[in-house]
Amino acid sequence: MILDLMAMDIWQSVIHEVTNVLSPHGAVGADGITKAYAPSDYSIHFFLQLAVIIVTCRVVGWIGQKFLGQPQVVGEMIAGVILGPSLFGLFFPEIQGAIFPKEMKNVLYTGAQFGVGLYMFMVGTSFRADHFKSKGKSAFAVSLAGITAPALLAILITPWLLTIPGLFADGISRFNATLFMAACIALTAFPMLARIINERGLANSSLGTLSLTAGAFDDAVSWCVLAVVLATFGAGPGVAVLAIGGGLAFALFAILVGPKLLAPLGRAVEARGEMSHTVLAITMICFFVAAFIMDAVGIHAIFGGFILGTAMPRGKFVEELKTKVEPFAVIVLLPMFFTYSGLNTRMDMVNSVSMLMVAGAILVVSVLAKFGACYAAARFSGEDNRTALGIGALMNSRGLMELIIINIGLQKGIIGLPLFAMLVMMAIVTTVMASPVFELVYGKKARESGELGAVPDNAST
């Protein structure tokens, strides 16, 4: 009997521990009931989150590739939204809340920034300066159009949006609201654009380099505009001055001085025939410093990674770096970026016909401002019609960069949840349409003529 009771107690204890494995195990709070998260709780959640994130991203990405012809990255973006409150949290709120508690958001945010920053660093190492020089006129024209047109249309649409309750914060000025909308519409999904360019086999093409260059500049300007909004909204003028001045100083240093300072790394790899752990360690230190600088000045870590990547040695160095770093960044780290943004997305906020009409208007304006303007600019600068259409299709993608900037707007009290949801919808639609529209207007014929090869295998892996 005693042994049976002991066995029952042990069994009940085991059941209790298993069922409460995701509960906090730290000290009891002041209310005598709520417990804080212990250090071990963060690691338990983190590893479970990574497993759930990677499984979801791979499955949704495969479905998008197999049945919808979308690149893996688009499936990963949608997977991030699925794991958030819009779907998983809507149907299984308790399970979603247990796996992704709000206390874990900061940990996931750090991993997300590491992932997207490292990926953009790898993209930067594939940047072709010779293509940029040969397409400099077109890149400047496309970039300028991709900023000017959104600004003009934001001036037209923002007064109307301000009349709709709940879209913007009470008391926000028309100037701040217009600047914020201009930044949102002008954004090109820089990480998403880079991933699509890689997956469509455009990384070494002049069209890919032109689009990536114009997209990078447009995003940098959008972040600077956001800095101005934050400064005039209460953060102080130092925010804008530090962001613009610090970003330009770092970019100039990396472009003009960086290649000479980093050249010994390339020579060391060429001499050895492979990348040593020491060279890899130095390379990663440089990446972390670059990401820190751009985050610290108020731009974004991804620009630090990308700019540094453009200054890295080429040849054997890049080959070794891609072999050692890129698979882990793409498969493990980058999906955290999509999931973190998806956790902040509430698609149920657009819940009426009138709100859907407003969301539709924002979508139409955004497509006209980006696709239309970039196409026209490319044609004006001498590109043929098919190439200009391809550029417009790629530049129209907003992706998760849009979610980052609108999350900042929401956190800083610039916009309300309804407008946030509308801009999320716009980001998803413009990103989903980018790849099929590009294939329709450019990719398919280019592949048939041999101008482009078949879509690489990594587009489906």
Side-chain angles (χ1 to χ4, degrees), residues 358-381:
V358 176
I362 291 175
L363 174 62
V364 171
V365 166
S366 299
V367 173
L368 287 175
K370 203 68 180 179
F371 186 104
C374 292
Y375 162 77
R379 287 290 287 153
F380 181 77
S381 60

Side-chain angles (χ1 to χ4, degrees), residues 19 45 78 81 90 150 154 185 207 212 220 237 290 299 310 341 429 439:
T19 55
H45 279 86
I78 296 174
V81 176
L90 181 65
I185 297 173
L207 184 148
L212 199 61
I299 301 295
T310 63
S341 297
V429 172
E439 287 296 324

Side-chain angles (χ1 to χ4, degrees), residues 71-422:
Q72 171 74 23
V73 64
V74 175
E76 291 175 1
M77 183 188 77
I78 296 174
V81 176
I82 289 173
L83 289 172
S86 297
L87 193 63
F88 189 22
L90 181 65
F91 292 102
F92 306 99
E94 293 184 0
I95 299 176
Q96 198 267 354
I99 297 175
F100 298 101
K102 64 178 187 288
E103 290 82 2
M104 280 294 300
K105 271 194 171 183
N106 288 341
V107 177
L108 196 59
Y109 173 82
T110 304
Q113 302 316 299
F114 178 29
V116 72
L118 186 59
Y119 180 75
M120 291 311 300
F121 170 62
M122 300 306 302
V123 170
T125 62
S126 298
F127 183 80
R128 294 285 300 271
D130 56 334
H131 285 165
F132 173 63
K133 292 176 181 178
S134 65
K135 294 289 184 178
K137 177 183 175 182
S138 297
F140 177 76
V142 170
S143 179
L144 183 62
I147 296 169
T148 305
L152 293 175
L153 288 178
I155 292 173
L156 295 176
I157 195 175
T158 303
W160 170 56
L161 295 178
L162 284 169
T163 64
I164 302 173
L167 296 190
F168 287 98
D170 294 335
I172 189 172
S173 68
R174 179 182 293 187
F175 176 76
N176 279 330
T178 301
L179 280 183
F180 184 80
M181 284 303 298
C184 289
I185 297 173
L187 269 176
T188 291
F190 191 36
M192 194 73 69
L193 176 64
R195 187 85 181 268
I196 291 173
I197 285 174
N198 279 349
E199 292 186 352
R200 298 291 102 178
L202 298 167
N204 294 317
S205 69
S206 60
L207 184 148
T209 300
L210 187 157
S211 300
L212 199 61
T213 303
F217 185 75
D218 283 2
D219 274 14
V221 171
S222 292
W223 281 103
C224 291
V225 169
L226 178 63
V228 173
V229 174
L230 294 176
T232 57
F233 201 66
V239 172
V241 173
L242 182 62
I244 298 172
L248 286 174
F250 176 78
L252 289 174
F253 177 82
I255 293 171
L256 299 178
V257 182
K260 296 180 181 178
L261 291 179
L262 298 168
L265 297 178
R267 290 195 291 268
V269 174
E270 294 288 348
R272 187 184 176 115
E274 64 177 0
M275 180 176 288
S276 67
H277 289 178
T278 299
V279 171
L280 179 59
I282 294 171
T283 302
M284 294 307 298
I285 290 170
C286 292
F287 161 72
F288 289 129
V289 171
F292 162 75
I293 291 173
M294 293 304 275
D295 243 352
V297 301
I299 301 295
H300 201 280
I302 66 168
F303 293 104
F306 177 77
I307 293 171
L308 177 67
T310 63
M312 281 289 167
R314 296 302 193 259
K316 187 67 175 178
F317 178 91
V318 172
E319 294 176 10
E320 286 288 298
L321 190 63
K322 285 182 176 291
T323 300
K324 295 179 182 297
V325 175
E326 191 169 59
F328 184 73
V330 170
I331 295 172
V332 178
L333 297 179
L334 192 58
M336 282 193 285
F337 171 70
F338 298 110
T339 301
Y340 176 80
S341 297
L343 291 175
N344 293 320
T345 303
R346 292 284 306 274
M347 301 299 290
D348 60 334
M349 296 304 298
V350 184
N351 53 11
S352 67
V353 175
S354 60
M355 285 296 190
L356 283 172
M357 291 178 65
V358 176
I362 291 175
L363 174 62
V364 171
V365 166
S366 299
V367 173
L368 287 175
K370 203 68 180 179
F371 186 104
C374 292
Y375 162 77
R379 287 290 287 153
F380 181 77
S381 60
E383 301 293 337
D384 62 79
N385 186 63
R386 189 161 56 88
T387 301
L389 286 170
I391 292 169
L394 292 174
M395 292 292 291
N396 188 48
S397 172
R398 299 316 193 288
L400 269 293
M401 284 302 291
E402 184 78 16
L403 295 188
I404 291 176
I405 201 169
I406 62 179
N407 268 297
I408 293 174
L410 185 66
Q411 293 164 7
K412 299 297 183 180
I414 298 172
I415 61 175
L417 286 172
L419 182 56
F420 178 86
M422 293 174 188

